[in-house]
Every structure is written in structure tokens, then in C-alpha cells.
């Protein structure tokens, strides 16, 4: 593990397939098994979460072994290097604008018409305005006449009140405040991106978007993102807090939760639960049940 305490385990997995954060060892390395898998611990953990994927019966699976792992180290290291350096999409058309938004003002960008997809979205707010602008500037995106994205720019990039640098394959926040989104967002005929200033002061913003032709098929889907703020919730009694309820066909790609603690102590934690299709009404148990959000 990267930055992990010294230990006697000789199994070393390259970052980002593993990491050590907040008293936790995280392992994202796929461990295939053909019949069954049992995970044990030598003492009670502070918290744990184990995700697995089940394949249809009869699927040919090569069971994990130390020999297979050792022989694949070169491939893992190359894959890790790629994951830590996502490509900067260069094909297609780049649209850009740079404006000073007055209070209540908007900057609107019309994207190329026809069947296309957004491959790279970059937004930058002037540094001296981060603390006030990350939530008062709202990103809105409309695809084929339907507004599917409404979120403050900071929250869209997991930085609601200040710049928190991070880098993943899909999104990135740089120390200078440049925010990048690489999720592919297809549309059939038309798309529009709007930045709205809901603050009481002017704001300087930069917007760059790269699009490229992409066939719209029966399997194509519009990209969605929503945001909301909730009133203070007491820690006791315990209760389930509904994060989002999505109906229809789609792929859930991620979320971000910003916790503002009203006290100086520990804000607490909960068991994150994801109910898929018949989990809630029929099985009454989530497909994903974590301990330690």
C-alpha cells in the first residue's frame, strides 16, 4: 500500500490499485474466483466494506493465485501508470469562452449540432474568488431540449467550499482551480452549457469544451447530475437519509457528499446502502452495503 504502515505482508500492489487512508487499507485489485470466496480477518475491524461481482453460472473464470499475480506485475504497473495519467482528449472540436459574469448574469455556450458527444469539459474560476464562487456559480447542461445537469461548479467537482486537488480518470481538480470532467456526454441533435452567477459579486470564468461526432443509438443515454442541500440532521436517533432515488434505465456513475459539522466533535458515520431494481421492494436488502462512509 502507498504510505501504509510497515507490515509483514509481502503482497505489494501498485497505487492506485491500493491505498492507505484514514486508518484504512483500500484494495481495488480484482480477485477472480470460480466457485467461492471467503474473506477473514484476524481481529474485529473498525469498519469494512467488500464489493464483489457475480457472473452468470457457467462463466469460465481463472481463479486468482500468487503465481498469476506475480506474472502479471508488469501489466499491473503499466495499467497503473495509464490510470494515473488519463488522456487529454484532442480530437473533434473545441469551444471556449471567457467572461466576467455580473450578479445574476449567464454565460451560454451552444455546442456543435448533430449527433455528437462531450468528451472533455473544463471550467476555471479566478483564484481569489474560490471561496465565494465555487457554490454561487451554477453549471447547467441541456441535451436535446432537456436540462439534465444543475449543480454548483464546486460541488460538481467535489469541492463545495474550497479547492481540493485530486485526480481520477473521470474528473480532476488542479491546484490552480482548473476543473476537468472527462465523462462522455452524448446527444442526438443539440446541446447547451450555461454558467449562471447566483452570487452578489461579479465573477471571472473560463469554459472550454471538446466535442466529437458520436452516433446516437438505442443504447445511448443523456448524462445527468443533480445537487441539493439539506437542513441539519441530528445524529440520534439513527435514521436512513435518502441520497437519491432514480427511476428508469441508466448507469449510476458516482456521487459526492459534503458534510458540514455544526459541532467541534466527530460528525459520525453511516452504512451506505445502494438498492438496485428489486432490492428495496422485493428483497428488502441492498446490493451494496458498506460500513464507514
Amino acid at each position: 500500500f502507498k504510505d501504509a504502515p510497515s507490515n509483514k505482508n509481502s503482497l505489494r500492489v501498485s497505487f492506485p490499485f491500493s491505498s492507505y487512508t484514514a486508518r484504512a487499507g483500500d484494495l481495488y485489485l480484482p480477485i477472480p474466483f470460480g466457485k467461492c470466496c471467503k474473506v477473514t480477518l484476524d481481529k474485529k475491524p473498525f469498519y469494512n466494506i467488500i464489493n464483489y461481482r457475480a457472473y452468470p453460472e457457467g462463466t469460465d473464470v481463472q481463479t486468482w493465485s500468487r503465481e498469476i499475480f506475480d506474472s502479471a506485475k508488469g501489466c499491473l504497473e503499466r495499467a497503473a501508470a495509464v490510470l494515473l495519467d488519463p488522456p487529454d482528449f484532442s480530437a473533434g472540436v473545441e469551444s471556449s469562452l471567457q467572461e466576467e459574469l455580473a450578479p445574476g448574469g449567464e454565460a451560454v455556450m451552444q455546442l456543435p449540432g448533430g449527433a455528437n458527444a462531450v468528451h472533455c469539459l473544463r471550467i476555471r474560476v479566478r483564484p481569489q474568488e474560490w471561496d465565494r464562487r465555487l457554490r454561487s456559480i451554477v453549471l447547467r447542461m441541456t441535451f436535446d431540449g432537456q436540462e439534465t445537469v444543475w449543480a454548483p461548479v464546486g460541488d460538481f467537482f467535489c469541492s463545495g467550499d474550497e479547492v481540493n486537488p485530486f485526480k481520477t480518470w473521470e474528473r480532476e481538480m488542479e491546484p490552480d482551480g482548473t476543473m476537468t470532467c472527462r465523462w462522455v456526454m452524448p446527444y442526438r441533435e443539440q446541446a447547451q452549457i450555461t454558467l449562471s452567477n447566483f452570487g452578489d459579486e461579479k465573477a471571472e470564468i473560463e469554459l472550454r469544451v471538446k466535442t466529437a461526432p458520436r452516433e446516437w443509438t438505442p443504447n445511448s443515454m443523456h448524462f445527468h447530475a443533480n445537487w441539493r442541500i439539506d437542513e441539519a440532521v441530528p445524529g440520534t436517533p439513527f435514521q436512513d437519509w435518502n441520497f437519491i432515488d432514480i427511476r428508469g434505465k441508466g448507469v449510476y456513475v458516482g456521487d459526492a457528499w459534503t458534510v458540514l459539522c455544526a459541532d467541534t466533535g466527530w460528525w459520525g458515520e453511516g452504512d451506505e446502502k445502494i438498492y438496485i431494481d428489486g432490492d428495496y421492494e422485493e428483497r428488502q436488502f441492498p446490493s451494496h452495503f458498506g460500513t464507514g462512509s
Side-chain angles (χ1 to χ4, degrees), residues 29-58:
L29 182 72
I31 302 176
F33 54 92
K35 295 180 179 179
C36 62
C37 177
K38 184 177 183 178
V39 180
T40 63
L41 300 98
D42 58 5
K43 59 182 179 180
K44 186 177 180 180
F46 179 65
Y47 54 80
N48 70 87
I49 179 169
I50 300 172
N51 286 78
Y52 66 92
R53 177 169 56 190
Y55 294 99
E57 186 175 353

Side-chain angles (χ1 to χ4, degrees), residues 1 13 16-19 21 26-31:
F1 291 146
V13 181
F17 293 111
S18 68
S19 64
T21 58
D26 297 334
L27 180 66
Y28 304 103
L29 182 72
I31 302 176

Side-chain angles (χ1 to χ4, degrees), residues 111-120 141-146 148-149 182-192 209-224 253:
L111 300 182
N116 288 277
V118 174
H119 287 265
C120 185
M141 302 184 71
T142 301
F143 297 105
D144 296 320
Q146 179 186 3
T148 62
V149 175
R182 303 182 185 88
W183 272 315
V184 178
M185 309 176 190
Y187 56 94
R188 188 200 309 261
E189 296 176 352
Q190 57 182 329
Q192 175 181 294
V209 181
K210 291 184 178 180
T211 57
R214 183 186 181 93
E215 181 184 4
W216 183 270
T217 72
N219 292 326
S220 297
M221 294 178 288
H222 289 130
F223 179 84
H224 289 70
V253 296

Side-chain angles (χ1 to χ4, degrees), residues 55-255:
Y55 294 99
E57 186 175 353
T59 301
D60 186 19
V61 177
Q62 185 180 38
T63 299
W64 188 93
S65 70
R66 183 57 185 264
E67 291 73 24
I68 294 175
F69 172 77
D70 289 338
S71 66
K73 277 188 174 180
C75 293
L76 285 172
E77 291 173 357
R78 290 192 294 273
V82 171
L83 289 172
L84 292 171
D85 187 26
D88 184 9
F89 186 79
S90 58
V93 177
E94 179 173 295
S95 305
S96 64
L97 62 81
Q98 183 172 346
E99 292 190 19
E100 182 178 270
L101 296 180
E106 291 185 343
V108 180
M109 176 184 289
Q110 297 289 346
L111 300 182
N116 288 277
V118 174
H119 287 265
C120 185
L121 165 70
R122 282 197 174 97
I123 301 172
R124 185 172 183 267
V125 182
R126 289 292 296 272
Q128 66 268 28
E129 301 165 342
W130 285 341
D131 58 343
R132 302 186 302 277
R133 304 293 184 264
L134 290 174
R135 182 156 283 176
S136 62
I137 298 175
V138 169
L139 169 67
R140 296 158 51 201
M141 302 184 71
T142 301
F143 297 105
D144 296 320
Q146 179 186 3
E147 185 175 278
T148 62
V149 175
W150 197 106
V153 292
D155 293 277
F156 188 83
F157 291 94
C158 307
S159 302
D161 58 347
E162 64 180 0
V163 170
N164 298 303
F166 70 93
K167 187 175 186 178
T168 67
W169 187 265
E170 294 90 0
R171 286 181 297 175
E172 180 176 358
M173 170 70 84
E174 299 179 46
D176 70 351
T178 300
M179 300 168 274
T180 302
C181 175
R182 303 182 185 88
W183 272 315
V184 178
M185 309 176 190
Y187 56 94
R188 188 200 309 261
E189 296 176 352
Q190 57 182 329
Q192 175 181 294
I193 298 177
T194 303
L195 291 174
S196 304
N197 182 9
F198 284 85
D200 55 7
E201 298 177 275
K202 64 182 181 181
E204 295 185 32
I205 56 96
E206 299 174 15
L207 173 63
R208 288 186 292 161
V209 181
K210 291 184 178 180
T211 57
R214 183 186 181 93
E215 181 184 4
W216 183 270
T217 72
N219 292 326
S220 297
M221 294 178 288
H222 289 130
F223 179 84
H224 289 70
N226 75 329
W227 172 89
R228 77 166 190 258
I229 190 169
D230 289 88
E231 299 297 332
V233 177
T236 53
F238 294 159
Q239 59 184 301
D240 277 356
W241 182 78
N242 188 33
F243 205 91
I244 192 170
D245 188 6
I246 307 171
R247 302 289 175 172
K249 296 181 179 180
V251 177
Y252 183 58
V253 296
D255 54 62

